[in-house]
Amino acid sequence: IKLLHIKDGINVADPVNATPVPLGEGEMEFEPILRAAKGKVRYYVYEQDPPFEDPTFDPFASAQAGWDYLSTVRLGH
């Protein structure tokens, strides 16, 4: 796999009503996904869609939250 594109959200099974959230704050369980991808993916892309109805959305705070979450993920050996 050359590129794995990930994002997180709430109500992800219902895309019309899904709400994007910073990585690690939604329903997706990334540790098993990233563990399975380890050694098989060349590039990882984390995308954070803004909550489009929220004018106070801060992309920098969201990026920091995603980074903080990824810093806690342990994939094992």
Side-chain angles (χ1 to χ4, degrees):
I1 300 170
K2 291 196 180 205
L3 185 139
L4 179 63
H5 174 205
I6 59 174
K7 55 172 96 174
D8 208 351
I10 299 170
N11 290 326
V12 296
D14 182 9
V16 172
N17 294 308
T19 301
V21 297
L23 198 65
E25 295 182 15
E27 300 169 347
M28 300 300 296
E29 293 184 34
F30 287 104
E31 282 196 21
I33 295 168
L34 297 173
R35 190 174 302 114
K38 186 178 178 182
K40 300 175 183 93
V41 174
R42 185 165 184 180
Y43 302 105
Y44 295 85
V45 174
Y46 158 45
E47 178 182 2
Q48 168 66 57
D49 291 331
F52 296 107
E53 66 284 343
D54 182 357
T56 65
F57 175 73
D58 181 351
F60 298 104
S62 178
Q64 184 66 56
W67 175 260
D68 292 345
Y69 169 75
L70 287 173
S71 297
T72 68
V73 172
R74 299 292 173 246
L75 302 180
H77 298 288

